[in-house]
């Protein structure tokens, strides 16, 4: 702040080492030049950290969770209350009307002229409709609620009632570690674009929706000493959330990709990495 304070007081005079009086403005010029040179030198030195953009890709639940005994009992109670308080539907009223008409046909004083109201149309009773619906119901086969929940972690169709997170195995030095998909940032792109590029590098065509432009998490780690480059000691990773939109099965290479639940992350991620990831991953 001193150089700027002197600019507004150009009449100050200072005593040099030789005892000669000099105008403070000339000293100010020297200070500003020195200040600019220092800034230029600082800007030329790159950051020792490389930036990465990572994507937390989640596959949301496909089916509902199994109900526990209390939920089952409460559901039955609500259905019974709804049945007792409900009125007859149009279909139920039609059933009663058809039953009454069939009963009148069996009476001795039945007047066949009543059928003239229907003309030559074929009469389809409510019971006929129920029989047809029953046949269609027998042809319906619901999808399985369980599909290899614990066998193939490379399949996105496991644990259909839970939310899954995609992990990939990457080389860090001489080790292979499980991480969220990430790539190094390139000049000229935003961090979200870097995360989108990490998603595009997957071998399968993944359609996903990113949730916002701001990172949802951050993690910093140092490279192993055997791969530390001059001026680069580690990486800073910025995480972005995305939700998978494509309903089709995504075949990924086994032992290199994994779809895991939140409580399974501890079996794949390192403790420090897991600590940061758990802050923004929710079990939906």
């Amino acid at each position: 702040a001193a150089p700027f304070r002197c600019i507004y007081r150009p009449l100050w005079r200072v005593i040099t080492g030789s005892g000669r009086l000099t105008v403070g403005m000339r000293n100010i010029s020297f200070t500003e030049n020195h200040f600019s040179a220092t800034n230029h030198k600082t800007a030329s030195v790159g950051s020792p950290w490389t930036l990465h953009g990572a994507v937390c890709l989640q596959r949301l639940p496909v089916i509902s969770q199994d109900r526990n005994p209390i939920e089952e009992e409460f559901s039955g109670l609500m259905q019974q209350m709804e049945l007792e308080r409900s009125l007859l539907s149009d279909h139920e009223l039609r059933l009663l009307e058809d039953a009454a008409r069939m009963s009148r046909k069996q009476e001795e004083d039945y007047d066949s002229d009543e059928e003239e109201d229907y003309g030559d149309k074929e009469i389809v009773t409510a019971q006929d409709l129920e029989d047809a619906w029953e046949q269609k119901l027998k042809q319906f086969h619901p999808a399985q609620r369980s599909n290899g929940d614990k066998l193939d972690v490379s399949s996105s169709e496991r644990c259909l009632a839970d939310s899954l997170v995609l992990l990939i195995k990457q080389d860090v030095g001489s080790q292979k570690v499980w991480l969220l998909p990430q790539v190094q940032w390139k000049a000229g792109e935003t961090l979200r674009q870097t995360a989108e590029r990490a998603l595009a590098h997957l071998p399968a065509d993944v359609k996903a929706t990113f949730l916002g432009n701001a990172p949802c998490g951050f993690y910093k780690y140092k490279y192993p000493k055997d791969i530390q480059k001059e001026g680069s000691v580690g990486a800073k990773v910025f995480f972005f959330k995305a939700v998978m939109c494509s309903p089709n099965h995504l075949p990924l290479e086994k032992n290199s990709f994994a779809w895991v639940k939140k409580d399974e992350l501890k079996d794949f991620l390192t403790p420090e990495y897991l600590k940061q990831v758990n802050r923004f991953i929710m079990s939906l």
Side-chain angles (χ1 to χ4, degrees):
F4 300 100
R5 185 170 61 247
C6 292
I7 288 175
Y8 294 99
R9 298 181 180 179
L11 298 181
W12 279 7
R13 295 180 178 273
V14 295
I15 300 178
T16 62
S18 59
R20 184 176 54 188
L21 291 176
T22 58
V23 180
M25 183 63 73
R26 296 173 62 186
N27 287 340
I28 291 171
S29 178
F30 169 78
T31 306
E32 287 178 344
N33 292 336
H34 178 72
F35 182 72
S36 300
T38 304
N39 277 353
H40 178 73
K41 183 178 179 180
T42 304
S44 64
V45 178
S47 172
W49 301 91
T50 58
L51 301 182
H52 288 72
V55 55
C56 174
L57 179 63
Q58 286 188 279
R59 190 225 66 191
L60 298 181
V62 179
I63 60 177
S64 60
Q65 291 276 356
D66 294 328
R67 291 194 291 250
N68 57 43
I70 296 179
E71 292 173 336
E72 288 284 357
E73 184 178 355
F74 181 76
S75 177
L77 175 62
M78 296 301 295
Q79 291 180 2
Q80 183 65 26
M81 292 175 59
E82 182 179 359
L83 176 63
E84 293 177 356
R85 297 176 181 179
S86 64
L87 301 176
L88 295 178
S89 64
D90 292 341
H91 180 72
E92 291 172 323
L93 292 174
R94 183 176 177 182
L95 281 173
L96 295 177
E97 181 182 347
D98 290 343
R101 186 164 59 85
M102 295 299 296
S103 179
R104 288 197 304 272
K105 280 186 177 182
Q106 298 176 0
E107 295 178 356
E108 296 179 357
D109 58 346
Y110 173 71
D111 186 2
S112 59
D113 293 340
E114 296 182 9
E115 298 296 323
E116 294 180 358
D117 297 337
Y118 296 94
D120 297 333
K121 295 186 298 183
E122 182 180 357
I123 300 176
V124 180
T125 64
Q127 188 61 47
D128 294 335
L129 292 175
E130 285 193 0
D131 294 339
W133 296 339
E134 187 70 24
Q135 293 299 322
K136 288 185 178 180
L137 179 61
K138 290 181 180 179
Q139 298 174 3
F140 173 74
H141 300 286
Q144 296 181 358
R145 291 185 59 86
S146 176
N147 190 6
D149 286 356
K150 296 184 179 180
L151 298 180
D152 187 9
V153 295
S154 65
S155 172
S156 62
E157 295 185 348
R158 65 183 295 263
C159 303
L160 299 178
D162 298 286
S163 178
L164 301 180
V165 180
L166 178 63
L167 301 178
I168 63 174
K169 186 176 286 187
Q170 293 187 346
D171 295 327
V172 179
S174 59
Q175 300 178 348
K176 287 184 174 291
V177 295
W178 288 100
L179 301 170
L180 296 177
Q182 69 178 44
V183 292
Q184 186 172 342
W185 172 80
K186 291 183 179 180
E189 66 180 5
T190 65
L191 285 172
R192 168 167 167 168
Q193 291 173 338
T194 306
E196 292 174 348
R197 187 160 51 85
L199 191 62
H201 280 183
L202 295 178
D205 183 16
V206 181
K207 295 182 180 179
T209 300
F210 276 77
L211 307 180
N213 296 319
C216 62
F218 168 79
Y219 177 69
K220 180 175 68 173
Y221 64 93
K222 288 187 176 181
Y223 294 140
K225 292 184 177 180
D226 56 336
I227 65 170
Q228 283 188 6
K229 302 177 182 178
E230 182 179 357
S232 180
V233 298
K236 293 183 178 180
V237 186
F238 296 86
F239 301 100
F240 290 79
K241 269 191 175 184
V243 177
M244 189 174 69
C245 300
S246 54
N248 56 321
H249 173 58
L250 299 177
L252 296 174
E253 182 182 354
K254 292 185 178 181
N255 301 324
S256 296
F257 299 87
W259 291 95
V260 298
K261 299 185 293 184
K262 183 177 181 179
D263 57 2
E264 296 174 339
L265 290 174
K266 62 181 182 297
D267 300 328
F268 293 84
L269 305 180
T270 60
E272 289 298 323
Y273 192 84
L274 175 64
K275 181 180 178 181
Q276 300 301 324
V277 170
N278 273 335
R279 292 183 175 182
F280 56 84
I281 291 184
M282 296 183 295
S283 297
L284 301 177

